[in-house]
Amino acid sequence: MTTNDISNHYESHTSTSYESAFFYSEGEYTQWLCDLVRDTFNISQEVSDNKQLSSCCNGHKADDQSSIRQNRVLLDVGGGTGNFTSMVIQGVDSMNAVVVDPFLPATTLSSPSGSDVDKDDEQQKKLRFVKASAEEFIPHTDNDDNTTDEKVTWWETDYNYILLKEAVHHFDSKERVGIFTGLRQGLKNEEIGKDNNAPPSILIVTRPQIDIDYPMWPAAKKVWAANQPSADDIEADLHSAGFKDIRRDIKSYPCEIKLEIWLVMVRNRFWSTFSHFTNEEIEVGCDIIAKEARPDAEGKVKFEERLLFITAKK
């Protein structure tokens, strides 16, 4: 999938249309996933009257972010609207987040340029947004083509955790090692993790290349496999970038959704896989799904969500 294809796919969605899909709307599924991410990073929910965050993020500029570093920072690359990121840090007074995404919609919680957010919303003040691509993390080179550690913007460095949720399949395979290398360089050194029980520095949430259970037609599954990197390839690139203690796990969730709603999601191309098909091909695919699906008495189809969690330490 080309950069233009990806751009057209995401820019065709509003935050409302995209996050109305089953996997991105508020509910039991997203709470399940949020809890898994929290557990992976060992982020505990705090109930506190501490108002430090209320003042630390007020009035700072994009080029002067020293105050936000008083707390632990989650970097969410490809985090879109930031709605899921907000769920992860909600109630955790000691944590802020930076969402980096090249297709930020106009309805994001704060301006990509770093202007002030609504001061009446405590949660918004814990989030900052940057309109940028993952490729901008690739380390700079000097005139002799030697890699340097130079970081030129505040959001490229001094974060504690990295989240890549449903983003890695959009990275050019030739750029993945460079992106991972730059992301690793930006981690705070304390996250090297001499303690074996320390949480991972990076969490990649993606889906299997082959073993999927979603209602699709054969051509769509073929496109999926062609554009989804394998776990082995992702892990090899993390290793090449210098990450250690690389692990993987499959997280499963039993899904049920009305067939008619699933078909609407497919027609709306809620996943980039479906952007490879014309309207006519989508209709053919929906006909195949409808014929092969076995909805229950309430018209619901059941399938298993399988998320691949890949973690590593700096």
Side-chain angles (χ1 to χ4, degrees), residues 55-70 113-116 128 152-155 158:
S55 59
C56 79
C57 296
N58 284 342
H60 55 67
K61 299 179 181 178
D63 59 352
D64 182 17
Q65 299 292 326
S66 59
S67 60
I68 203 172
R69 300 310 180 191
Q70 296 175 11
S113 63
S115 60
D116 291 346
R128 303 297 292 172
V152 295
T153 51
W154 64 269
W155 48 272
D158 289 341

Side-chain angles (χ1 to χ4, degrees), residues 190-263:
E190 65 185 21
E191 291 303 313
I192 291 177
K194 295 180 180 179
D195 180 3
N196 290 332
N197 294 321
S201 307
I202 185 171
L203 166 61
I204 297 174
V205 180
T206 186
R207 290 182 170 90
Q209 184 182 43
I210 302 296
D211 188 20
I212 58 175
D213 191 41
Y214 311 111
M216 289 187 187
W217 65 103
K221 291 182 178 179
K222 184 175 181 180
V223 168
W224 175 288
N227 289 276
Q228 181 69 30
S230 70
D232 289 341
D233 287 344
I234 295 171
E235 291 181 1
D237 289 343
L238 285 170
H239 184 269
S240 295
F243 281 98
K244 310 295 183 183
D245 195 15
I246 302 168
R247 304 183 183 187
R248 76 171 80 167
D249 191 18
I250 291 289
K251 309 293 187 180
S252 300
Y253 185 89
C255 299
E256 59 178 42
I257 184 172
K258 286 193 174 182
L259 175 60
E260 61 187 54
I261 294 178
W262 178 263
L263 295 179

Side-chain angles (χ1 to χ4, degrees), residues 8-18 105 268-271:
N8 291 337
H9 169 69
Y10 284 106
E11 290 180 350
S12 67
H13 284 283
T14 64
S15 59
T16 301
S17 69
Y18 182 75
N268 286 341
R269 295 171 170 83
F270 76 104
W271 278 336

Side-chain angles (χ1 to χ4, degrees), residues 27-36 251-253 305 307:
E28 293 182 2
Y29 171 85
T30 48
Q31 188 60 58
W32 165 78
L33 181 52
C34 176
D35 291 342
L36 286 177
K251 309 293 187 180
S252 300
Y253 185 89
E305 162 77 302
L307 291 179

Side-chain angles (χ1 to χ4, degrees), residues 168-183:
V168 72
H169 63 287
H170 290 312
F171 299 169
D172 188 315
S173 60
K174 297 178 181 178
E175 306 286 3
R176 272 201 308 263
V177 172
I179 293 170
F180 291 161
T181 299
L183 287 170

